[in-house]
Amino acid sequence: MTAQRTHARTQVGIVGAGPAGLMLSHLLSLAGIESVVIETRAREDIEATIRAGILEQGTVDVMVSTGIGDRLLDTGSRHDGIEIRFGGQSHRVDFPSTVGRSVHLYPQHEVLKDLITARLADDGDVRFGASDVSLHELTGTEPVVHFTDADGRPTELRCDVLAGCDGAQGTTKWSIPDNRRTDHFRDYRHGWFGILAEAPPSSKELIYAHSERGFALISSRTPTVQRMYFQCDPEEDAGAWSDNRIWDELQSRVAGNGFSLNEGRIFQRSVIPMRSYVCDPMQHGRLFLAGDAAHTVPPTGAKGLNLAISDAVVLAQALERFFDDGDTDLLDSYGRTAAQRVWRAQHFSWWMTSMLHLAPDSGDFDRHRQLAELDQITGSAAGRTLLAEGYTGWPIARTNPKSVVAEALSLTHSRRP
Ligand code: PHB
């Protein structure tokens, strides 16, 4: 016998408890708007998934100004620049002196822990471990989500607006009919071999390295755990590599000027594909997509999490207007406003990727051209400023000055030295 469906109602139904969904729920709660977050994974899985760790200045401002930035300021580290390494030498790009902003190194799962703690402390409704999620009646005024909760109870959630925040593998975007949706897709035909190693940092700042063997990135997690990547074939079998072979490959890509990496036990490894995707439009009826559900970027430049946060800020402002005045103007323009930043980030990630990676069919000409571009970008104030502007992130659109998040951000800006 099938169990009876439980009925529930909320103002905003949010599918997915990643950065976009949880941030949206957090911002809405500050504005007094009710939401229910439905997530298929368990809380422990979400809090343990390792992703990139660079927070743009705007993301830091949103977290601090909305009361979830304490751990970030305590345990994250501010980075005022990056090193671009080519021809065996490092070239530093400074952020404060070029654009007056910085970034913070603070892993994504720590951001998620802070968001989950805040939601639960504020009596937020987050349903982990859900299954069989499906969306209905999107073009009416009361869209519906069906799901089975963690205890096996079939549930129907009715809401005013739905947010699809279920990540790159999510299915909410497929609710936009094929004849209304354009999928902009690009495959870079290489991957990143990523490792976590028990070792002290090799550098105070991140190193993005171009070499004759391909790209490498030296990042960090804690004083005793380092995160590193090198460009590889997307089909590479990470398990087939010995630790020695991995270290030799990384060392060869950063070699020069007597520099070498601190090595240690490798305790996690995986191959990450390099892809770009944009779903156009980002909305359909009362469904609005945010974060990786609507777009993915290659990891070069670490824009994914930051885009999720800026989408959530733009969508929260539009929803505040809708629930305050019944006005749909900002909801109607949400996709266009968000897409402007998404395409800037797509360009930035593509540009960093194309400047630093060896394409499978590239030859000597391309290598010389890349070196000339790197020389130009790091060797001129204009070049360094362009790179720093994209890396630290563009201002997040403030479309609704009356919204709680826009007000909080204005206060933070006026306080910043
Ligand atoms: C990371 O620390 O995992 C990281 C940092 C910067 C990137 C990508 C990944 O561009």
Side-chain angles (χ1 to χ4, degrees):
M1 203 183 83
T2 5
Q4 275 249 303
R5 219 172 248 294
T6 304
H7 294 266
R9 195 175 195 302
T10 190
Q11 288 175 288
V12 183
I14 301 175
V15 180
L22 288 169
M23 180 56 88
L24 180 63
S25 178
H26 169 63
L27 298 177
L28 292 177
S29 109
L30 297 180
I33 298 168
E34 214 183 69
S35 65
V36 175
V37 182
I38 300 157
E39 167 60 53
T40 53
R41 290 169 302 165
R43 177 177 175 181
E44 302 72 55
D45 291 349
I46 295 173
E47 294 187 342
T49 305
I50 309 281
R51 291 273 182 84
I54 292 292
L55 307 192
E56 291 174 357
Q57 183 75 59
T59 302
V60 173
D61 289 347
V62 171
M63 290 186 62
V64 172
S65 66
T66 64
I68 52 166
D70 289 354
R71 282 199 327 129
L72 154 66
L73 296 180
D74 273 0
T75 64
S77 46
R78 197 183 81 206
H79 282 217
D80 285 339
I82 52 171
E83 284 188 23
I84 305 282
R85 208 169 155 80
F86 56 95
Q89 295 205 22
S90 276
H91 306 255
R92 185 166 184 273
V93 175
D94 186 75
F95 301 148
S97 66
T98 47
V99 292
R101 301 195 291 267
S102 297
V103 296
H104 269 68
L105 184 70
Y106 186 64
Q108 170 164 326
H109 63 279
E110 300 296 344
V111 175
L112 292 173
K113 281 187 204 166
D114 295 334
L115 281 164
I116 292 172
T117 306
R119 287 314 297 120
L120 299 182
D122 293 340
D123 286 330
D125 191 345
V126 187
R127 315 277 179 101
F128 295 104
S131 53
D132 301 325
V133 181
S134 61
L135 313 187
H136 309 271
E137 300 177 44
L138 299 178
T139 52
T141 54
E142 196 178 47
V144 179
V145 192
H146 285 173
F147 64 99
T148 304
D149 74 10
D151 299 322
R153 267 191 306 263
T155 306
E156 175 177 286
L157 176 70
R158 295 196 158 263
C159 32
D160 295 298
V161 174
L162 257 175
C165 307
D166 50 348
Q169 309 300 326
T171 55
T172 55
K173 62 178 158 294
W174 308 131
S175 294
I176 305 180
D178 285 356
N179 60 1
R180 302 235 173 152
R181 200 186 68 242
T182 308
D183 296 307
H184 299 286
F185 187 72
R186 185 188 175 102
D187 189 340
Y188 292 78
R189 291 183 294 153
H190 35 247
W192 275 14
F193 194 124
I195 62 158
L196 282 168
E198 279 168 9
S202 302
S203 157
K204 282 214 302 275
E205 294 178 336
L206 269 63
I207 301 174
Y208 289 80
H210 172 282
S211 82
E212 301 204 354
R213 297 186 61 83
F215 170 75
L217 168 60
I218 311 305
S219 180
S220 183
R221 282 291 172 269
T222 67
T224 54
V225 174
Q226 307 312 311
R227 179 78 165 142
M228 305 182 198
Y229 305 89
F230 59 89
Q231 172 191 352
C232 66
D233 188 293
E235 305 300 326
E236 195 65 63
D237 173 9
W241 284 60
S242 69
D243 285 18
N244 275 344
R245 189 172 164 216
I246 294 174
W247 285 118
D248 285 350
E249 194 59 56
L250 278 164
Q251 296 285 14
S252 74
R253 294 188 188 201
V254 297
N257 249 359
F259 178 74
S260 71
L261 299 168
N262 292 322
E263 299 183 9
R265 187 176 74 86
I266 296 172
F267 62 93
Q268 208 252 9
R269 59 178 72 190
S270 60
V271 171
I272 304 156
M274 304 274 289
R275 294 201 185 113
S276 283
Y277 171 73
V278 180
C279 179
D280 179 12
M282 286 171 61
Q283 59 198 85
H284 174 64
R286 288 277 177 105
L287 169 70
F288 297 86
L289 303 177
D292 276 8
H295 40 74
T296 46
V297 285
T300 330
K303 290 279 168 249
L305 165 66
N306 296 291
L307 283 179
I309 300 301
S310 61
D311 282 357
V313 172
V314 174
L315 186 51
Q317 294 178 79
L319 287 165
E320 272 196 67
R321 166 91 108 236
F322 175 66
F323 287 109
D324 279 350
D325 310 338
D327 204 336
T328 62
D329 61 339
L330 293 182
L331 280 179
D332 296 339
S333 58
Y334 160 72
R336 283 193 303 281
T337 308
Q340 222 172 7
R341 186 191 186 87
V342 168
W343 279 110
R344 272 197 181 196
Q346 289 292 6
H347 171 260
F348 182 77
S349 315
W350 166 87
W351 177 55
M352 290 277 281
T353 304
S354 73
M355 201 159 52
L356 291 161
H357 290 65
L358 294 187
D361 49 5
S362 67
D364 245 14
F365 178 89
D366 300 281
R367 200 167 47 81
H368 284 293
R369 180 187 52 71
Q370 283 179 319
L371 290 170
E373 189 174 13
L374 289 164
D375 194 29
Q376 163 83 12
I377 290 298
T378 57
S380 90
R384 289 191 296 271
T385 305
L386 182 69
L387 183 67
E389 198 170 85
Y391 199 88
T392 57
W394 312 275
I396 299 181
R398 285 193 234 164
T399 51
N400 177 359
K402 285 202 287 190
S403 89
V404 169
V405 59
E407 261 175 43
L409 280 169
S410 312
L411 290 175
T412 313
H413 280 266
S414 57
R415 274 202 308 269
R416 197 189 301 151

